[in-house]
Amino acid sequence: MTIYSLHVYRRDGVCLYRKNYNNTATLDDETESEREKLVFGMAFSLKELIGQLSPMDGSTGEQLSCPLSTVKTNNITMHAHETMTGFRFIIYTSPDIATMQHHLQSVYRIWVDKVVKSPLVKETQGGGYDITDTEFGRTAEEYLEKVPGFKR
Amino acid sequence: MFLNLFIVNKSGGLIYNIALSPSSPPLNTNDSLRIGSTFHSLHAIAVQASPNANSNANADASNAPPNVPQDGIETITAGSGLTLKCLQTLTGTKFIITATDIQQSVMSDVLREVYGIYSDYALKNPFYELEMPVRGTKFDAHVRAAVQAKETGSGFMASRR
């Protein structure tokens, strides 16, 4: 059981935070930024796909809301949580971890505490945030380290 | 209950779809085709987007036996108990099923059975062209029966719980 990485995206697709844990290979900037875009694109397209496949509610005749929760392949599981404001928190883990919804919501709360309420956040050139002066990275890592299944 | 079944050929084209429940979302032909090909692409992208992607890709290129289809999305879970399961065969054909409140193992069993029905009533049909849409009343009937059997079977388990 291992946690590989954490991504945070804004609703327009800009990646606000990405961190690899447990010695997951971090490649050069270009490949990583491409991968960030792929992850967002996949989460976005899957949300639409699931939306089309959602069942109809028997009583109201409308489609049920089914927000994307996990995507599992042979080697990894991607856990996603989208907030009401369109922020996406995505964690990649080994395939034996079934759900991280509770932890994703805790990471969101850490985000709200450390980034949203912080006066030290700067806007960068690419439209992202420079959040190195906040304590989000450190606090999130401390939280995730306590999650059972963090380390191999 | 089971909602929809799709079969996608190795190029991403939809060759079969069926609604399995009255609560299935209404999908016209275009919607289904689009779902089939979108899933086909996302199935592959999921591997590229994952963290160990590059190290996996290098390993696969040298060690993987030829003609084995790539790793890809196996399961998607969403809110309200919606689950999507995909079975990719060695030939690259994907069997995709969606359901709510059905155990994942039961869904995998159904996919294996549908694969068996596909090879019996489509592949063994001398008039069936590979990778083309599957049309056959026997195929439809057997698929419905297999899904129905698994549905009542798992429903029984649920009420026992």
Side-chain angles (χ1 to χ4, degrees), chain A residues 27 35 56 65 67 69-70 72 75, chain B residues 23 49 54 74-75 77 79-80:
Chain A
L27 306 149
R35 204 170 68 71
M56 309 300 279
S65 158
S69 177
T70 67
K72 180 179 170 315
N75 295 316
Chain B
S23 325
N54 281 357
E74 289 177 358
T75 316
T77 62
S80 310

Side-chain angles (χ1 to χ4, degrees), chain A residues 91-112:
Chain A
I91 291 185
Y92 273 93
T93 70
S94 54
D96 44 13
I97 297 183
T99 177
M100 294 273 290
Q101 282 302 311
H102 172 73
H103 301 298
L104 281 165
Q105 288 176 9
S106 304
V107 172
Y108 175 45
R109 256 172 268 135
I110 298 174
W111 176 270
V112 167

Side-chain angles (χ1 to χ4, degrees), chain B residues 2-15:
Chain B
F2 288 99
L3 297 169
N4 289 79
L5 171 76
F6 301 91
I7 306 181
V8 178
N9 67 21
K10 64 173 175 249
S11 332
L14 186 75
I15 62 174

Side-chain angles (χ1 to χ4, degrees), chain A residues 13 30 59 83 113 138:
Chain A
E30 210 187 296
S59 43
T83 68
D113 276 336
R138 194 174 57 80

Side-chain angles (χ1 to χ4, degrees), chain A residues 49 51-54 63, chain B residues 3-6 17-19 24-33 35 98:
Chain A
L49 190 74
Q52 287 191 307
L53 293 171
S54 309
Q63 263 189 324
Chain B
L3 297 169
N4 289 79
L5 171 76
F6 301 91
N17 75 308
I18 187 171
S24 303
L27 294 171
N28 61 34
T29 325
N30 280 342
D31 288 341
S32 314
L33 287 167
I35 287 173
T98 56

